Amino acid sequence: MKEIEVVAAIIRRRGQVFATQRGYGEWKDWWEFPGGKMEPGETAEEALKREIHEELSTEINVDAFLCTVEYDYPKFHLKMHCYLCSLLQEALHLNEHEAARWLSTDELGSVRWLPADKEVIRAHSLV
C-alpha cells in the first residue's frame, strides 16, 4: 500500500482551533487541519510553515509537537505529524480550501472530519 507522509497544523486562538474544508478530490467537502506533504530534505516544521503559507497566505509559529497519527485509507496509508501552532499574523486567505472555521471544543463535532483528523481530536484535548 502506498504511504503518504504529511504534516498538520493545529492552529489555536482564543480557545478555538482552525479547521479547513477540502475543495477538491475524493474527500471534497470533508474537514481537516491545514497542512500537506513534506518535500525531500525538509524538516516537518519547515514543511508545515511552507504549506500554511501556500494554503492560507499567513505565517505561523510551530509551538510544540502533538502526535503522529497513522491511518489506513482505502487507497493509501497516511502518516500525519501534528503540531500545535499559533498565528504570527491574523490575516488568513483560503488559497486551496472551500471554507474554514474557528471551532470551540463544543463545536468540533459540528463538521465532518477526515478520519485521521478525527483520530487527533479523539486522542487530544485541542482547545
Side-chain angles (χ1 to χ4, degrees):
M1 180 177 279
K2 178 180 175 181
E3 182 172 304
I4 298 175
E5 189 170 16
V6 300
V7 289
I10 290 66
I11 302 171
R12 299 175 300 164
R13 179 184 78 178
R14 296 190 287 278
Q16 297 178 310
V17 293
F18 190 69
T20 53
Q21 186 178 32
R22 291 180 70 92
Y24 58 90
E26 182 179 350
W27 298 93
K28 183 182 180 329
D29 296 330
W30 289 65
W31 290 77
E32 65 186 343
F33 296 112
K37 294 179 185 171
M38 296 172 61
E39 293 182 357
E42 272 185 324
T43 67
E45 289 187 12
E46 290 168 341
L48 198 51
K49 289 178 181 182
R50 176 187 51 76
E51 284 288 343
I52 295 305
H53 187 264
E54 289 174 4
E55 292 181 6
L56 301 171
S57 296
T58 195
E59 306 299 324
I60 58 166
N61 186 61
V62 179
D63 299 320
F65 173 75
L66 179 65
C67 65
T68 296
V69 171
E70 299 205 31
Y71 191 88
D72 286 326
Y73 283 91
K75 297 180 181 175
F76 60 92
H77 176 78
L78 181 75
K79 181 184 258 188
M80 182 169 67
H81 308 289
C82 302
Y83 290 82
L84 298 174
C85 301
S86 52
L87 293 174
L88 293 176
Q89 57 192 44
E90 290 291 315
L92 295 166
H93 184 268
L94 298 181
N95 296 322
E96 297 180 15
H97 294 93
E98 192 169 299
R101 289 178 57 191
W102 286 99
L103 301 170
S104 67
T105 303
D106 294 343
E107 297 170 317
L108 288 173
S110 68
V111 299
R112 184 172 56 165
W113 290 95
L114 285 169
D117 296 72
K118 196 170 190 174
E119 293 294 318
V120 176
I121 293 166
R122 278 192 195 129
H124 301 278
S125 176
L126 296 179
V127 263

